[in-house]
Amino acid sequence: MMMTKKTLAPSRPERWGCFDFSPLVAMVMERLRKCKVRLGPGLLEEEIARIEAWLSFTFPPDLKAILQAAVPMGPGFPDWRAGTAKQLRAMAELPLVGISYEVAHGRFWLKQWGPMPRDAEKAVCVAMSALRRAPILVPVFRHCYISASPCLSGNPVFFICHGQVSACAADIRDFFENMDFSPEHDHHASIKSRRRSLSHLDWPANLSSPNHSKHLRLAPLKRREEAEAEAEE
């Protein structure tokens, strides 16, 4: 009996190893200018190396190409050039601080973590232990983050705010192509409408794996308000 080879569509965006990012960068720059986002000079290799050392991650190549072309500046964007190590770490840790706050108050828990301990402190410890096995999150815009692992193009972008965790873009191209960065725009409404069509992507449940070489580095647990204040300094 002759078997025919069946062509299957990829289940997630294509991952590029070596790729010309010029079209992506051009699209992102045009989109940001259209939204009147101020653009600063692109990051130099030494600036990128310093940030990666501070935050213990490697920029995904597609996001790195964008930041090397120009750095978006203004409310909601990470201050990659002038931000201190303390400020950038605080912004990167906001999702974890928000999740731990919700866990402590009994408003967030994943089934993959097993039964939720009744003691709030133990529940937070279990949750943080699980989150350490998830990929590090790189801030992109406001409460939107991209996974740093695997260090390939095409990683999804996640919206993480307190107990709300969901995908808001299939990859960085999808994010910049569909997000309106205008100051007067309701960003939360845009993200909410996108989340409905991306429910198959998840963080940290589907991305948690003991095989990831990069893990979350956590400073001593802070209250959510303290972390938000540091990120705004």
Side-chain angles (χ1 to χ4, degrees), residues 177-205:
E177 206 165 31
N178 292 286
M179 174 63 73
D180 189 335
F181 299 95
S182 303
E184 66 278 4
H185 186 72
D186 186 349
H187 304 105
H188 283 272
S190 294
I191 292 168
K192 188 175 181 180
S193 64
R194 289 284 298 150
R195 280 156 50 190
R196 295 193 188 98
S197 61
L198 294 164
S199 58
H200 61 289
L201 298 173
D202 196 10
W203 185 95

Side-chain angles (χ1 to χ4, degrees), residues 16-201:
W16 305 288
C18 296
F19 189 76
D20 179 12
F21 292 106
S22 300
L24 168 66
V25 170
M27 181 276 293
V28 171
M29 297 301 112
E30 181 182 357
R31 181 72 174 165
L32 292 173
R33 290 189 186 100
K34 185 178 179 181
C35 293
K36 297 181 173 58
V37 174
R38 191 159 55 97
L39 299 174
L43 294 177
L44 303 175
E45 282 291 346
E46 51 264 37
E47 292 177 306
I48 287 176
R50 183 173 66 248
I51 294 166
E52 291 179 337
W54 281 348
L55 302 183
S56 301
F57 68 66
T58 300
F59 280 108
D62 43 6
L63 178 59
K64 179 180 177 180
I66 293 168
L67 294 176
Q68 285 182 311
V71 177
M73 302 171 69
F77 287 102
D79 191 352
W80 294 118
R81 171 159 288 111
T84 65
K86 180 180 179 181
Q87 290 169 335
L88 293 176
R89 284 195 199 105
M91 188 169 192
E93 289 175 6
L94 275 177
L96 306 180
V97 175
I99 289 174
S100 66
Y101 181 89
E102 297 300 317
V103 168
H105 288 78
R107 295 192 293 259
F108 185 89
W109 193 258
L110 293 179
K111 292 180 180 179
Q112 292 87 342
W113 297 345
M116 184 176 185
R118 292 185 178 182
D119 180 75
E121 189 174 340
K122 288 183 180 179
V124 170
C125 287
V126 171
M128 291 300 101
S129 176
L131 289 172
R132 288 188 184 98
R133 297 191 295 274
I136 294 174
L137 295 170
V138 183
V140 179
F141 176 70
R142 295 192 184 275
H143 295 288
C144 298
Y145 300 77
I146 190 169
S147 171
S149 180
C151 189
L152 295 170
S153 302
N155 288 344
V157 179
F158 296 94
F159 172 82
I160 305 178
C161 182
H162 308 313
Q164 299 178 56
V165 181
S166 57
C168 63
D171 56 21
I172 203 73
R173 173 188 290 274
D174 182 31
F175 179 76
F176 279 103
E177 206 165 31
N178 292 286
M179 174 63 73
D180 189 335
F181 299 95
S182 303
E184 66 278 4
H185 186 72
D186 186 349
H187 304 105
H188 283 272
S190 294
I191 292 168
K192 188 175 181 180
S193 64
R194 289 284 298 150
R195 280 156 50 190
R196 295 193 188 98
S197 61
L198 294 164
S199 58
H200 61 289
L201 298 173

